[in-house]
Amino acid sequence: MAGLSFDLIALQLFTGLALGAIYVLFAIGLSLIFGMLTVVNFAHGAFYMVGAYVGLFLLSMGSNFWLCIVAVPLIVGSVGMMVERFLVRPLYGRGVDYPLLLTFGLSYIMVELVRIAFGTSGYPFETPELLQGAVDIGVGYFPLYRLFVIGAAVVVLLGLWLFLERTSFGLIIRAGARDPQIVRVLGVDVSRVWLVVFGIGTAIAGLAGLLAAPLQGVIPEMGATILAEAFVVTVVGGMGSIGGAVIAGLLVGVVVSMTSLFAPEMAKVSIFALMAIVLLIRPQGFFGRAGLMS
Amino acid sequence: MTRTTKLISRRKLLATASAGAVLAASPFRINLAQAQEATIKVGFPVPLTGPYGTEAQDQVRAAEVAIAEFNEGGGLNGRKAELLVRDDKLNPGEAATRTLELIEKEKVSFIVGSLSAAVQLAVNNVTKERGIIFNSISQSDTINEVADFSKYTFHEALNPHMTAGAVGRYAFPKFGKKVAFLTADYAYGHEMVRGFQEAGKAFGVETLVDIRHPLGTTDFSTLLPRIQALKPDILCISNFGRDQQIALKQATDFGMKKSMKIVAPIVLYTGRVAAGAQAFEGVIGGTSYYWGIEDKIASAKAFNDRFRKLHGGKVPSDYGALGYGGVKTLLMGAKAAGSLDPDKVIAAVEALKYDYYKGPQYYRKCDHQSVQSVLIIESKVTPQKGDADVFNVIETEAPNETNLRTCQALGHKA
């Protein structure tokens, strides 16, 4: 192939990793909620979309992007906690399909509400001024904003890891995921733990939506496409494994990127081909525990 | 006794007769008669829901303007027109079903509408079979070709060959001959690329790469490094709607506008409004209509004013204006023919030389393609005349049959 240089391949690889960072950011919330609560959250895409719209609304009220980065996860996380408290909680202990159907319906309602409030045609979302333009990363020019998104993903992951591994609340969460009954016997209010986990998961989804908005603009249906891709990431990484979501997210990004270089029209299909191959070789995904769904 | 009875009966007879005469002259009876002679129904299948919903709603608004004008002008010998809107959901099957329903159940005289190459061909198949006149208001090259065309088919919209050709003829001499394409992988995208390449032959244009992406792509970042590495003079983005908005936004982020000129065969008014100035800055594209030409063209001013009056001060979009043109030409054809007989209306529409909203137009006889101007527009960085002031018209390619594919090339005999 003409024009195939080392720089191009390196840049393509980097582009894939950057794309993967976005997948990771979206998929870890999904994975967290599934891993801890065994809830397959089909409304995750809707929370992502709501994050973008909350950001849009705050900006129109005179807020700036940096304030949004703090406010959006708090607001979307609060909505998520209400959803857990009043809608998801009554369904615990009834198997995966009940919360799955609930969140599926919920996502439709959320999208419809946003359509009523903001219209169907979508809005522009300008890249924050400080992060506009591209910088030379050695092998070529790369948008500053995408570098920022990679940084944000790393910060979120680091924060989540510290919270789960280094705080006593994180210890309770991990224990609660393993054996809720014993934790309850020890006097811990497990329902409060699940409330917080659901809140954190949806807060990350909201943040991901806000960060994606300057990349692609804002429409009510923006959560739908990425949800399908995020499920591929969680399945490849292993349902419920956060580490798996990180590795698989980056891998999916790179696979899409490299396919795009040689056969762009196959890029979308390559995601699902990857999933099929992984499932054939390792049905529970990279780091998945077998039997979690049953 | 007998005399009086006779007298009374004669009086009765007179009274009844005069009452009848009064009734015959009263407006009440005229209404009755008119009710029997039904309205002229125009079926309007458009994708009200789905990704092109915004465009479709604007098409309906503009079509309503055409209907209102026709009715105010006395209709066809007093017969008023009526618009029957149906949602085709941007789905060829759905569109065919709705069209059939409009023809069989509602007994429409005309079908105008559809907004996608595949959908309009599905509608055209139905209208062709049933002998109902169809005026398409969406771009397609094949609808003019012999295989899809019938005498009942009209095409008010531009077609990809005309649009891409006009943009190419403007851009190639100014910005360079090395061209890269980023193309939506379906009929529309392929036809646009072909249009650019045909126009490019005259300028010795070289295609460096044609990258095809699936419809509904939300991240183009992985496609852009290769285009950058090839260092084209011009990047042609041949996709539509939201794909185009995202592609332009991300190309801007990658700093591609610094090293190459970005052009698009169609730049939409609604797309520019939805994606904002940043993404579209410096992008050059083609369009069939922009409301801003009202400064120079009287019919545009008249159309915009009527639209604004009927729709709370809004201005019509490009595809919206096609809804107006599509309905108006058929109704004026019917008026000129003085009949709804398809053959007479077809002959009348073929003979029209019209200027309804954008300057002079006419339908070429062999393929019923509306020969019309193509506007070359550039996105404004800062609007001066309100939020709707988004484009500069930088050139107008006058209506010219030589910019169309020839009748022979389309497979027509004439």
Side-chain angles (χ1 to χ4, degrees), chain B residues 37-316:
Chain B
E37 208 177 339
T39 53
I40 301 167
K41 291 182 175 176
V42 181
F44 203 72
V46 282
L48 292 173
T49 52
Y52 302 160
T54 319
E55 306 297 334
Q57 282 155 22
D58 210 48
Q59 294 187 316
V60 173
R61 284 188 208 110
E64 280 168 355
V65 175
I67 297 277
E69 278 180 5
F70 178 74
N71 290 344
E72 282 159 27
L76 174 61
N77 305 324
R79 273 182 81 178
K80 301 287 169 71
E82 179 190 3
L83 193 70
L84 297 162
V85 180
R86 294 290 182 275
D87 185 4
D88 70 26
K89 298 182 180 155
L90 201 61
N91 174 322
E94 180 79 21
T97 313
R98 293 281 81 85
T99 305
L100 205 57
E101 179 233 304
L102 283 166
I103 295 170
E104 301 278 311
K105 226 177 105 208
E106 301 287 353
K107 311 277 181 218
V108 295
S109 304
F110 308 122
I111 297 280
V112 180
S114 83
L115 183 48
S116 152
V119 173
Q120 67 180 312
L121 293 179
V123 172
N124 189 47
N125 269 336
V126 176
T127 51
K128 209 168 130 175
E129 233 169 58
R130 313 270 152 166
I132 299 285
I133 298 174
F134 169 46
N135 200 347
S136 167
I137 52 176
S138 168
Q139 297 214 12
S140 164
D141 270 344
T142 52
I143 200 164
N144 298 120
E145 287 167 11
V146 153
D148 278 298
F149 178 79
S150 81
K151 67 173 185 176
Y152 301 103
T153 309
F154 286 86
H155 196 238
E156 169 67 21
L158 294 167
N159 60 42
H161 184 85
M162 295 163 74
T163 326
V167 174
R169 280 185 287 276
Y170 176 83
F172 296 142
K174 283 195 180 59
F175 306 115
K177 297 184 188 356
K178 285 191 293 175
V179 181
F181 292 93
L182 179 61
T183 309
D185 198 6
Y186 73 123
Y188 164 91
H190 304 168
E191 287 179 4
M192 286 296 179
V193 171
R194 193 178 59 183
F196 273 115
Q197 287 171 337
E198 298 254 328
K201 278 179 194 160
F203 304 96
V205 161
E206 177 198 357
T207 299
L208 298 178
V209 70
D210 178 9
I211 294 183
R212 307 224 158 144
H213 68 81
L215 270 186
T217 297
T218 52
D219 200 300
F220 291 87
S221 64
T222 57
L223 303 172
L224 302 178
R226 186 150 163 236
I227 296 173
Q228 266 179 319
L230 289 166
K231 296 187 174 60
D233 301 321
I234 298 175
L235 170 62
C236 293
I237 295 195
S238 296
N239 53 19
F240 193 72
R242 203 170 147 64
D243 285 6
Q244 187 186 62
Q245 294 163 27
I246 298 175
L248 288 176
K249 172 96 188 144
Q250 297 182 350
T252 309
D253 286 347
F254 270 80
M256 297 176 79
K257 285 174 184 167
K258 285 188 204 111
S259 57
M260 64 196 81
K261 192 74 191 171
I262 298 184
V263 306
I266 304 182
V267 170
L268 289 181
Y269 171 79
T270 49
R272 161 61 183 78
V273 170
Q278 204 180 49
F280 278 86
E281 187 182 341
V283 174
I284 286 175
T287 189
S288 61
Y289 183 73
Y290 175 58
W291 69 272
I293 59 172
E294 67 180 12
D295 297 343
K296 289 192 188 108
I297 294 172
S299 59
K301 172 92 172 103
F303 168 54
N304 289 343
D305 285 345
R306 297 243 21 176
F307 192 96
R308 280 189 275 239
K309 211 172 129 201
L310 207 62
H311 300 294
K314 280 184 170 223
V315 289

Side-chain angles (χ1 to χ4, degrees), chain A residues 25 41 185 232 260:
Chain A
L25 205 53
N41 182 19
V185 166
V232 172
S260 301

